[in-house]
Amino acid sequence: MLQTPSGGAGHGTTAADSGLMSIGTVLHALRDEFPDITISKIRFLEAEGLVEPRRTPAGYRKFSAGDVERLGQVLRIQRDHYLPLKAIREHLDAVERGEAVRLPSLGRPRDGEFPEVTDEGPTAARLGRDELLAAAGIESGDLEEWESYGLIAPLPDGAYDAEAVTVAALVTELGRFGIEPRHLRVMKAAADREAGLVDQVVAPLRRHRNPQTRAHAEERTNELAGLTVRLHAALVRTALGVRLP
């Protein structure tokens, strides 16, 4: 449950505004559950219509406890269901209207739920091409272009894994900043090299005859993947001279 400390209300504010929070206070409230959240991310979600904070006469944002809770819901759905922002906005708006709606069961397993591990490896959510287009909110031509650059690739049987929805959503968001899919080939190449490094570490475990050891290989893969992602993000921020607030 998100903590929503009051803050951002200085001397001279009205009683109606005393419970509103500055964007910095909102950042603090969200960071325990979402360590990677930034002020830029909050502003981006506002620009996409996911939250509508009040504005002071001077133009400063003031968030209510309800705004913070909605931001938490948006970030949680992104993390757990890999949905594009448009789908998240439509879902939350429907919930606020009192409609009985359910999220698609895509994405990472929830806490306490683990994929079944077999000799062939863990099972995962699979989507057909039309399902991927619908979940990501993209056109067939977009997917074909992204596949041509290697950003998304179907499985041998032509289906897609749930991670393809995440990639599609992120490529779409980057596109709003003018970053085209062809610009992302360097990121794909870097990801392939990082994956190769992780694979070198876990390959002996995957080839082991003991099923429990093979299962441990998947846990180690997830752990190493998380560490490489965090390192990559830190190195990019360092190269850009960006400091998190």
Side-chain angles (χ1 to χ4, degrees):
M1 188 71 180
L2 291 175
Q3 297 181 355
T4 54
S6 62
H11 297 293
T13 57
T14 66
D17 291 340
S18 61
L20 299 180
M21 290 166 269
S22 68
I23 194 169
T25 304
V26 172
L27 183 74
H28 177 73
L30 293 169
R31 184 160 278 173
D32 283 347
E33 184 176 356
F34 309 101
D36 295 332
I37 187 66
T38 65
I39 284 180
S40 295
K41 175 70 171 181
I42 295 173
R43 289 172 176 163
F44 174 73
L45 293 176
E46 178 192 355
E48 292 297 307
L50 274 301
V51 65
E52 297 180 2
R54 301 184 192 179
R55 293 276 187 163
T56 68
Y60 293 106
R61 296 171 176 84
K62 292 295 180 180
F63 295 80
S64 68
D67 292 330
V68 179
E69 186 62 34
R70 183 176 170 97
L71 282 170
Q73 291 176 321
V74 171
L75 296 169
R76 211 169 287 118
I77 293 171
Q78 275 193 313
R79 180 190 65 197
D80 297 341
H81 295 270
Y82 299 140
L83 293 182
L85 294 180
K86 179 181 178 182
I88 295 174
R89 183 176 62 247
E90 292 173 350
H91 170 78
L92 293 180
D93 289 345
V95 170
E96 290 183 355
R97 291 193 299 268
E99 299 177 13
V101 291
R102 296 181 59 184
L103 285 165
S105 56
L106 299 176
R108 296 187 182 93
R110 295 183 180 275
D111 293 342
E113 298 179 2
F114 298 93
E116 176 187 359
V117 177
T118 67
D119 289 343
E120 288 74 32
T123 59
R126 297 163 66 82
L127 305 88
R129 187 178 183 86
D130 290 342
E131 291 175 313
L132 173 58
L133 295 175
I138 59 175
E139 301 294 333
S140 180
D142 296 324
L143 180 56
E144 292 175 2
E145 180 185 11
W146 300 349
E147 286 178 330
S148 71
Y149 292 123
L151 300 175
I152 294 178
L155 300 170
D157 62 358
Y160 297 84
D161 61 26
E163 202 70 49
V165 182
T166 304
V167 173
L170 292 173
V171 172
T172 299
E173 290 190 21
L174 288 169
R176 296 192 179 101
F177 292 91
I179 300 178
E180 299 179 13
R182 60 188 176 87
H183 299 144
L184 302 177
R185 286 178 294 184
V186 62
M187 301 179 72
K188 176 63 168 62
D192 287 342
R193 290 193 294 270
E194 292 167 9
L197 180 61
V198 171
D199 190 61
Q200 288 179 23
V201 176
V202 299
L205 297 177
R206 285 177 172 161
R207 293 194 296 266
H208 203 280
R209 295 177 61 185
N210 189 322
Q212 292 183 341
T213 302
R214 292 198 298 272
H216 180 62
E218 299 304 326
E219 296 176 2
R220 183 61 56 85
T221 298
N222 289 333
E223 181 180 2
L224 289 172
L227 290 172
T228 57
V229 168
R230 290 170 57 189
L231 175 60
H232 183 89
L235 291 174
V236 171
R237 288 196 295 266
T238 299
L240 293 172
V242 175
R243 293 183 179 180
L244 290 178

